[in-house]
Amino acid sequence: MKKFPKDFLWGGATAANQCEGGWNEGGKGLAASDVISAGSLTQPRYITYIDQEGNPGKATSLHHLPEGAKRAVIDGCYYPYHEAIDFYHRYKEDIALFAEMGFKIFRMSIAWTRIFPKGIEEEPSQEGLAFYRNVFLELKKYKIEPLVTLSHYDTPLYLEEEFGGWKNRKLIALFDRYSEVVFKEYKGLVKYWLTFNEINSAVMLKDLFPGYPAHKVKEDFQLLHYQLVASARAVKRAHEIDPNYVVGCMLAGGPCKYPLTSDPKDVILTQERIQEATYYTGDVMVFGEYPYFAKRIWEKYDVHLDITKDDIADLKKGVVDIVTYSYYSTGCVTTHEVSERAGGNIDMGPKNPYLQYSEWGWSFDPDGLRYSLNEYYGRYRKPMMIVENGLGAIDVLEEDGKVHDLYRIEYVKAHVEAMAQALADGVDLRAYTPWGCIDLVSASTGEMKKRYGFIYVDKDNEGKGSLKRYRKDSFYWYQKCIASNGEDLT
Ligand code: BGP
């Protein structure tokens, strides 16, 4: 099997809202994610609000808020992101643990609201800038490269409420100011950047929620367009500020859909779904223009994009340097009737009879990683990074402080082997940052018990616990994997 390149970047990934906490500290403004409650596999997370009469209420993201209601933090509701795992105060301890595992790279995001609390200020918050500077300096101490996402499901709440979020073209300019500030501020401390986390997920809601309204589908394509322009502008600006900056797109999943049957109708539908969900977005970011099949998609959903000449020029100029994506599992597509559906944060379609599924219904498919790496690389021919991957599972902290997470070791091992195979295939793969390298709050369910980490954090779904960190068995396994550059996987 092909060896990993000598300078392969092993590490782990997190996002500000899911791990930092300190939601109202250091001058931070409210993010849209700060008003989302906890949920579970069976119970959705709610957005909380105060209505016109001042009464508190809650609604799922699919429902309209009552006329005049404003999203807000309400009494008596538990918000898992408010404290999360308190990385805000414990980052030194956590980074020391990452260093102990041998990390070469650490993926994290900047909370826009720490830099511009509402998103509209003229001047950035010095306190917010100082926080990330200190985190980067701490990483530097251990020679760990930061890989920084500018926007990881974390838009300032003010922009959502007053501007309608990314449905409004004005956000492009505001994002431009934010990205310019951080690119200038952290020059010399950061080399690798990602613009929007899982940017293509914006147009995947229609597949995930049956009955998703047609007007929302149109809105989603429009807001994705504004994000694509904002992303392209950020790439251009990054290169102007520092030609050494390496900026990537970050896509949700890969072309990871299989036809459920060999019925050509299933094959065609699978191809269409991959084009819609993945290549529609990826092609813009890599080739600088919408793909040939975009017109078909716009016609299908009756989308009339607000797209200007300047947008077209910006997209052309802001093509990414690297292609990165999150990979957890694969899905199936069929035109036939099926009963059992797979789980996931994006539509995974019917269950695949050849795969095993986690407690949250996500499939275990390391071959899909090799397959998707080849598919992406074959199309884009840019250096690749796997910036999320992992198994969300329930762990048991034993009385002696140990966590025997063999299932996680097996999952990661199989995916490391798949990456080695993709390297042998000739894919130019540069980095691997498994998701939630330290336990953090689940994005889909808001739970703590859905854990991904090599480091256990003592905290439960209700927010109780000492927040103490423990090394799981997988911690030592990954340490050995990194030390041997992916050769010792025992
Ligand atoms: C991705 C998100 C992450 C992360 C991950 C795992 O879609 O980029 O933020 O949370 O999925 O999902 P979950 O936390 O729902 O298990």
Side-chain angles (χ1 to χ4, degrees):
M1 196 178 289
K2 170 104 178 194
K3 292 190 169 138
F4 284 83
K6 216 169 58 276
D7 50 0
F8 190 78
L9 296 166
W10 300 93
T14 59
N17 57 359
Q18 290 172 258
C19 79
E20 274 179 16
W23 68 290
N24 57 2
E25 290 179 64
K28 181 181 172 298
L30 272 184
S33 53
D34 285 322
V35 293
I36 307 180
S37 73
S40 69
L41 186 58
T42 47
Q43 148 120 27
R45 301 186 71 179
Y46 290 103
I47 294 169
T48 57
Y49 63 82
I50 307 272
D51 72 13
Q52 260 172 340
E53 279 77 49
N55 302 312
K58 52 184 194 168
T60 71
S61 55
L62 282 183
H63 292 100
H64 276 301
L65 265 48
E67 189 64 34
K70 292 251 183 250
R71 277 175 269 186
V73 171
I74 62 172
D75 287 344
C77 178
Y78 172 58
Y79 298 95
Y81 289 160
H82 283 191
E83 183 190 49
I85 59 156
D86 197 29
F87 179 81
Y88 186 67
H89 296 108
R90 294 165 197 250
Y91 69 88
K92 288 193 179 162
E93 178 189 352
D94 293 343
I95 291 171
L97 286 165
F98 300 152
E100 192 182 323
M101 264 189 283
F103 278 21
K104 316 275 184 241
I105 193 165
F106 173 55
R107 178 174 176 229
M108 52 180 276
S109 68
I110 293 180
W112 189 347
T113 47
R114 285 201 190 283
I115 312 300
F116 290 101
K118 286 183 171 169
I120 51 154
E121 295 80 354
E122 289 295 322
E123 295 301 325
S125 150
Q126 291 305 319
E127 211 176 339
L129 288 173
F131 170 67
Y132 292 108
R133 171 168 289 275
N134 290 336
V135 172
F136 299 144
L137 286 170
E138 197 64 21
L139 290 166
K140 196 180 163 107
K141 214 161 100 182
Y142 299 101
K143 296 196 175 58
I144 301 175
E145 286 280 357
L147 165 61
V148 182
T149 318
L150 292 172
S151 177
H152 193 124
Y153 300 140
D154 213 7
T155 314
L157 183 62
Y158 183 86
L159 298 185
E160 292 286 351
E161 288 297 331
E162 304 303 320
F163 291 70
W166 279 99
K167 289 192 290 263
N168 192 329
R169 175 176 278 283
K170 289 194 182 124
L171 262 75
I172 299 176
L174 296 170
F175 189 78
D176 191 25
R177 177 156 56 193
Y178 157 59
S179 47
E180 182 183 7
V181 163
V182 296
F183 288 148
K184 283 190 174 153
E185 183 73 22
Y186 303 124
K187 188 170 168 174
L189 280 177
V190 177
K191 178 176 173 192
Y192 299 104
W193 298 92
L194 303 175
T195 54
F196 290 85
N197 182 63
E198 300 193 325
I199 184 166
N200 53 329
S201 63
V203 291
M204 290 182 175
L205 298 172
K206 60 179 171 37
D207 304 320
L208 190 60
F209 302 107
Y212 193 73
H215 74 274
K216 296 269 276 182
V217 178
K218 292 187 207 190
E219 267 174 27
D220 292 347
F221 276 98
Q222 186 59 59
L223 74 83
L224 172 63
H225 174 71
Y226 293 149
Q227 289 189 341
L228 286 168
V229 175
S231 171
R233 280 214 204 168
V235 176
K236 195 172 138 262
R237 217 173 251 295
H239 292 152
E240 283 161 7
I241 293 169
D242 185 346
N244 293 319
Y245 275 157
V246 175
V247 193
C249 59
M250 194 308 197
L251 298 163
C256 308
K257 292 185 192 307
Y258 307 133
L260 186 69
T261 73
S262 52
D263 179 347
K265 295 265 182 280
D266 280 10
V267 177
I268 288 289
L269 187 63
T270 307
Q271 186 176 53
E272 266 182 31
R273 287 280 172 83
I274 292 173
Q275 288 176 338
E276 270 184 23
T278 304
Y279 293 143
Y280 173 86
T281 310
D283 285 11
V284 176
M285 301 182 93
V286 179
F287 302 134
E289 61 185 24
Y290 280 100
Y292 67 91
F293 51 81
K295 210 160 153 266
R296 185 197 74 216
I297 295 175
W298 294 330
E299 274 166 15
K300 176 170 166 194
Y301 296 109
D302 194 26
V303 172
H304 302 274
L305 272 198
D306 162 34
I307 176 168
T308 65
K309 277 203 181 109
D310 286 347
D311 291 354
I312 293 169
D314 282 338
L315 293 179
K316 258 272 159 299
K317 284 183 227 141
V319 298
V320 292
D321 307 305
I322 51 169
V323 172
T324 84
Y325 66 108
S326 55
Y327 179 87
Y328 293 91
S329 53
T330 48
C332 290
V333 177
T334 188
T335 53
H336 301 268
E337 275 299 309
V338 281
S339 50
E340 263 210 300
R341 299 189 75 77
N345 286 358
I346 50 181
D347 172 51
M348 285 299 175
K351 274 199 165 171
N352 186 329
Y354 299 98
L355 299 179
Q356 302 281 315
Y357 286 81
S358 79
E359 283 177 75
W360 278 266
W362 297 29
S363 68
F364 170 71
D365 183 12
D367 289 325
L369 177 57
R370 176 184 179 188
Y371 171 75
S372 56
L373 275 166
N374 273 281
E375 284 295 304
Y376 267 138
Y377 188 62
R379 188 176 187 99
Y380 296 139
R381 307 306 289 267
K382 296 259 184 191
M384 312 272 318
M385 291 183 178
I386 297 298
V387 295
E388 283 187 31
N389 171 243
L391 176 69
I394 295 173
D395 291 332
V396 179
L397 179 67
E398 306 285 346
E399 271 174 21
D400 59 1
K402 299 217 162 94
V403 177
H404 303 301
D405 56 342
L406 187 61
Y407 36 90
R408 183 166 296 105
I409 296 174
E410 279 169 2
Y411 180 100
V412 180
K413 177 175 184 265
H415 288 80
V416 169
E417 281 166 351
M419 290 191 296
Q421 284 165 333
L423 280 163
D425 294 331
V427 173
D428 182 4
L429 178 64
R430 305 279 178 96
Y432 178 56
T433 59
W435 175 249
C437 47
I438 179 165
D439 291 346
L440 38 66
V441 180
S442 158
S444 54
T445 66
E447 293 169 303
M448 267 309 294
K449 74 170 189 192
K450 188 181 188 192
R451 296 170 184 275
Y452 287 86
F454 303 118
I455 299 162
Y456 184 94
V457 176
D458 177 27
K459 185 167 180 180
D460 67 16
N461 282 354
E462 285 74 47
K464 292 194 273 315
S466 65
L467 288 168
K468 208 171 154 223
R469 278 62 169 149
Y470 296 87
R471 294 167 185 80
K472 302 183 192 176
D473 286 356
S474 57
F475 179 101
Y476 299 105
W477 177 88
Y478 195 43
Q479 187 181 50
K480 211 162 48 158
C481 164
I482 297 177
S484 65
N485 201 26
E487 285 188 36
D488 185 355
L489 301 182
T490 52

